Amino acid sequence: MKTVKKIFVLFLIFLISSDILNAKDPIKVLVLTGQNNHNWQASSVILQKYLNESGIFAADLAVSPKTGEDMSSFCPDFSAYKAVVLDYTGDSWSEKTNKAFLEYVNGGGGVVVYHAANNAFRNWKEYNEITGLGGWDNRNETDGPYVYFRDGNEVRDTTPGPGGSHGKKHEYKIALRIKDHPITKGLPEIWTHSKDELYDRLRGPAKNLTVLATAWSDKETGGTGRDEPVLMVIKWGKGRVFHTILGHVGAGDGPYPAVEGASFIVTFLRGTEWAATGKVSQGVPDDFPCK
Ligand code: ZN
């Protein structure tokens, strides 16, 4: 009897320890913010909350000095993270931080380019290669082609003109262009995104860039009359980049419909996991919107 008890206890210990060994460590993610032409104080905390509440990630915030302040002390330890979520557009970082960021991405670090982060650093060549497409800050044909879809085909259009604009905020339909990418697999082919800005006329180097999903930018809402990219992936060095133009967070205490629906949350979390690991373990929740 005693031996049976011992074996049973040992078996329990084995079960518990194997469970501990199998429990996955959360994926470390850094949300980088501190300057933006948007309400970064709200958006960065919302993004961090989504990441932490998913049970998959452990997210920290890196907040830069304010506009015009000395940036020399802003040195996030990128190497401690599997993905960096960029919620930043503003003053240049220090040379040291720029170099550390490029080394991190080149070495295989994941990047998420969130909404206005594609407005940042027009004159930083490598940053624009990492984001693939950008807008505003006087971008024009010297920054690269416009990228959009026409009749189901991707167009790279070198016509001169400004880069980056959007019509009025509205609900819009998002259509998948790549259905078997880890980020998009299992999502509906078309779904309705909550009220948001729809960026258009983005242009940039667009090297190693794949458009995963587009949205029709209607002239009636002030758009281009083109299918504009909304979700993209880019390869830069060994790094994976997920670029989402979704998620406008404006001034005030909310609500912020653009980031509050499953459309934003699910694509953001799946894109971040892919950028960090190259895989997506998350399913598609039942409340994901359809057409
Ligand atoms: Zn915006």
Side-chain angles (χ1 to χ4, degrees):
M1 195 60 192
K2 230 180 168 184
T3 321
V4 172
K5 228 180 192 177
K6 250 187 200 162
I7 290 169
F8 182 68
V9 169
L10 282 172
F11 182 63
L12 271 183
I13 290 168
F14 167 75
L15 278 184
I16 292 164
S17 58
S18 64
D19 217 40
I20 289 166
L21 288 173
N22 286 335
K24 278 193 182 157
D25 288 333
I27 300 165
K28 289 194 75 186
V29 176
L30 184 68
V31 178
L32 192 158
T33 192
Q35 294 185 29
N36 207 305
N37 52 359
H38 289 69
N39 185 355
W40 63 264
Q41 291 91 340
S43 60
S44 59
V45 172
I46 291 169
L47 299 179
Q48 185 188 31
K49 178 171 158 276
Y50 290 157
L51 291 163
N52 286 335
E53 286 181 354
S54 71
I56 298 169
F57 307 99
D60 295 330
L61 277 187
V63 180
S64 75
K66 294 189 182 106
T67 307
E69 286 183 359
D70 178 18
M71 291 292 260
S72 61
S73 63
F74 182 60
C75 309
D77 181 12
F78 299 115
S79 67
Y81 298 93
K82 297 286 276 181
V84 174
V85 176
L86 298 169
D87 180 14
Y88 183 96
T89 177
D91 291 351
S92 296
W93 305 332
S94 68
E95 278 299 317
K96 191 179 155 199
T97 296
N98 285 4
K99 193 165 166 270
F101 180 68
L102 296 182
E103 278 173 8
Y104 160 80
V105 187
N106 195 37
V111 178
V112 176
V113 180
Y114 157 67
H115 197 61
N118 69 19
N119 298 190
F121 307 140
R122 181 188 172 198
N123 297 318
W124 182 6
K125 179 174 167 274
E126 292 87 354
Y127 183 85
N128 286 272
E129 288 171 0
I130 288 167
T131 58
L133 291 175
W136 294 273
D137 199 15
N138 300 313
R139 280 175 170 82
N140 60 32
E141 59 279 8
T142 63
D143 296 278
Y146 294 118
V147 176
Y148 52 87
F149 274 62
R150 185 195 293 138
D151 302 327
N153 298 310
E154 186 181 295
V155 177
R156 296 191 172 213
D157 179 348
T158 56
T159 308
S165 55
H166 60 76
K168 66 175 185 185
K169 291 191 266 301
H170 63 295
E171 280 191 358
Y172 50 85
K173 291 190 193 309
I174 295 177
L176 289 185
R177 298 292 168 177
I178 306 282
K179 293 163 197 157
D180 59 357
H181 190 276
I183 297 172
T184 56
K185 208 169 182 181
L187 294 178
E189 286 185 25
I190 299 173
W191 73 89
T192 302
H193 178 58
S194 43
K195 189 177 178 185
D196 199 350
E197 288 169 344
L198 171 51
Y199 282 3
D200 60 45
R201 297 185 178 89
L202 296 178
R203 56 192 321 164
K207 285 186 217 163
N208 304 315
L209 173 139
T210 306
V211 177
L212 299 181
T214 59
W216 174 249
S217 174
D218 203 313
K219 286 188 174 169
E220 280 199 7
T221 51
T224 52
R226 300 169 179 168
D227 285 305
E228 297 284 354
V230 295
L231 304 177
M232 297 160 257
V233 289
I234 300 104
K235 275 299 284 178
W236 197 85
K238 292 198 183 92
R240 283 176 298 271
V241 183
F242 170 64
H243 183 160
T244 176
I245 67 99
L246 306 177
H248 173 83
V249 172
D253 296 331
Y256 311 111
V259 292
E260 285 168 0
S263 167
F264 177 82
I265 298 169
V266 170
T267 53
F268 170 69
L269 292 177
R270 290 173 70 108
T272 304
E273 187 179 2
W274 178 80
T277 68
K279 293 175 191 149
V280 175
S281 66
Q282 307 161 61
V284 180
D286 293 340
D287 65 344
F288 196 83
C290 50
K291 248 180 178 178

